Amino acid sequence: MHNAFLQRLSHAAPLAQNEIGVLEELCRNPRDIPAKKYLSRDGDEIVTFPVILSGWAARYQILRNGARQITRLLLPGDAFYFDSSPDAVAIEEVITLSPCQIVNIPHADMTRAIERHPAIGEAMRNYGCMENAILSSWVVNVGRRDALERMAHLICEAHYRLSLIDGTQGEQFFFPLTQDDLADVLGLTPVHINRKLQQLRHERLITLRSKQMTILNLRELQQVAGFDGAYLAPRNGDKDASGGFGAIAA
Amino acid sequence: MHNAFLQRLSHAAPLAQNEIGVLEELCRNPRDIPAKKYLSRDGDEIVTFPVILSGWAARYQILRNGARQITRLLLPGDAFYFDSSPDAVAIEEVITLSPCQIVNIPHADMTRAIERHPAIGEAMRNYGCMENAILSSWVVNVGRRDALERMAHLICEAHYRLSLIDGTQGEQFFFPLTQDDLADVLGLTPVHINRKLQQLRHERLITLRSKQMTILNLRELQQVAGFDGAYLAPRNGDKDASGGFGAIAA
DNA sequence: CGGAACATTGACGATAATCAAAGCGAGTGG
DNA sequence: CCACTCGCTTTGATTATCGTCAATGTTCCG
């Protein structure tokens, strides 16, 4: 299966073959978007129900002092405005972090699919739950972990989420965030990010060069992060896509 | 209307009279729970779809070093585990912060109500969106605001959310959080909370005694917080319950 | 080759954490 | 009614994590 959105949803709830067909149909005609492109809700880039099929993007808010906080990393298969009534999220903008393929699914089509296929509705609801769980975990991360732990946790999260959609090659994966981006995800400054990244490298936990992240010691990195993938685990019943992510106490 | 859950949902989507009747029926027989009581998902306190009708509670996570981070304040009308598949949220526990009235609505009943009344389904989805928006705002709060701004923002949020369900008397409202609780909401230490609370008092922005919060200067407090209630505003179309909450840039 | 974006380094400063003790206030029991 | 306790708040002194400022390197790309 090459469609990350499909993979996501089928991890969220079991989907029958014809339901998969319906979703594939909805995902025809993706558009290519370059990196570092702002996607405003009002612009023509985002209408209806936008989904990333490949690439990374981020939702963020800007404060009046100019500070930016990224509130969500959008990985392949993620929906931009899952939670949308059009006006409600006007505060949050989206920017691509790498070249992306994006489909805009008309809301009407999505609604029709959900009506005809309750399993799709269930999958969507469960997907929403996962978004929620990630948001909670970010609050915990930024609220109660120090800089090193935060970085480690984010890396574990990214790795796990990507692994569920075949976005990893073993412990290696595409990681397009600049240090400035990382700072805005983790609520730190770029300078501090730089230093903590170096610490992770010196402790032989990771490698990061040309947007290529390699986790050298996953167990230890998870240990540092206090990472437990349970909150991200597929809710499908059948799967074991997690590949041995474990029960490190949060 | 005396049922906070109804109020919430009718702010989320317009509900017809008979739909309100259905929901009222579901909310019969609430249970009284004392303050500072842990409500574990496994225990018999929480099954099905629990909703707070009165009182305050909080969802939180404990880290392995013993640190606690509160991830959600549950005010009257809020659902505990809106996002629930039973096992998924095992990491997060709930504790009451004041005496509470809680109803456990059987999932089957809720599902039936949603099937028969699409407006209820829509209201629930919109409610979920609002939860999401609050979580995002907390990430921003903890990630990019300093201690004073965070406190101010939380107070504004609480005041606004309560005002939507008639939980305020003007600028005055019940605020049961101890300084330890506040610390765990805002990702700070109790000592620091104490000092910043005093600062807010000295600047004549608030008063807080015996769990009674009074905002002395709402405009100024919102200014300090960079608070803009738009993300919490009713999505109902008709309402103006906001009572003049304004467009301070976030 | 030249420039722009990104990464790295160092020196210094500020916000918030830590540690420890004392004060307060409400409810309890003698 | 008063001492007593327990939870919560307040205060002070000290420390540390992280932020700020500014300069220098590096990588990538046309």
Side-chain angles (χ1 to χ4, degrees), chain B residues 9-16 19 119-120 122-123 235-238:
Chain B
L9 289 190
S10 62
H11 282 145
L15 297 178
E19 290 156 351
I120 294 179
E122 190 193 341
R235 297 169 188 193
N236 187 339
D238 65 57

Side-chain angles (χ1 to χ4, degrees), chain A:
Chain A
M1 193 188 311
H2 292 102
N3 179 320
F5 184 48
L6 283 189
Q7 282 182 283
R8 258 254 194 293
L9 290 189
S10 63
H11 283 144
L15 297 177
Q17 202 53 48
N18 65 326
E19 289 155 352
I20 289 176
V22 167
L23 289 167
E24 267 168 348
E25 185 60 25
L26 291 176
C27 289
R28 282 188 318 164
N29 308 324
R31 304 169 53 190
D32 285 303
I33 314 276
K36 297 284 162 178
K37 178 145 174 60
Y38 294 83
L39 304 178
S40 95
R41 191 154 184 69
D42 317 310
D44 52 23
E45 267 77 20
I46 295 184
V47 285
T48 66
F49 186 87
V51 173
I52 296 199
L53 293 185
S54 72
W56 290 42
R59 273 180 70 162
Y60 63 90
Q61 290 183 36
I62 301 281
L63 276 64
R64 67 187 179 318
N65 61 11
R68 182 179 73 155
Q69 175 68 45
I70 290 177
T71 57
R72 244 165 276 193
L73 280 184
L74 303 169
L75 305 186
D78 282 325
F80 285 27
Y81 289 107
F82 178 75
D83 58 341
S84 47
S85 30
D87 42 293
V89 280
I91 352 168
E92 302 212 340
E93 297 282 317
V94 171
I95 186 176
T96 56
L97 301 173
S98 77
C100 289
Q101 280 193 306
I102 292 172
V103 249
N104 286 313
I105 303 175
H107 258 302
D109 293 1
M110 189 51 101
T111 307
R112 188 151 16 87
I114 290 174
E115 276 167 8
R116 293 188 186 161
H117 305 278
I120 294 179
E122 190 194 341
M124 295 290 285
R125 276 195 300 280
N126 284 342
Y127 171 74
C129 297
M130 201 206 52
E131 247 194 18
N132 230 274
I134 292 174
L135 242 11
S136 281
S137 80
W138 280 33
V139 171
V140 174
N141 212 25
V142 179
R144 285 294 184 217
R145 280 192 256 259
D146 69 24
L148 193 73
E149 295 168 342
R150 277 184 224 181
M151 285 245 357
H153 199 276
L154 180 74
I155 295 166
C156 290
E157 178 196 321
H159 178 241
Y160 192 3
R161 284 171 66 186
L162 288 171
S163 77
L164 295 178
I165 50 165
D166 303 332
T168 51
Q169 305 85 48
E171 324 288 55
Q172 195 165 11
F173 55 97
F174 176 58
F175 189 87
L177 302 208
T178 66
Q179 294 184 4
D180 282 41
D181 296 331
L182 268 173
D184 292 340
V185 168
L186 299 176
L188 298 164
T189 55
V191 174
H192 206 65
I193 290 287
N194 183 286
R195 291 180 169 129
K196 292 301 163 182
L197 261 182
Q198 286 180 52
Q199 190 177 340
L200 287 179
R201 287 195 261 243
H202 289 148
E203 292 180 7
R204 309 210 153 281
L205 295 176
I206 64 160
T207 263
L208 174 58
R209 248 191 77 80
S210 334
K211 303 179 191 300
Q212 204 63 25
M213 173 82 71
T214 308
I215 299 176
L216 300 176
N217 186 337
L218 183 54
R219 275 265 142 254
E220 184 60 22
L221 189 69
Q222 291 179 159
Q223 181 63 39
V224 168
F227 180 82
D228 173 359
Y231 72 106
L232 292 170
R235 297 170 188 194
N236 187 339
D238 66 57
K239 78 352 0 287
D240 61 338
S242 81
F245 284 85
I248 293 180

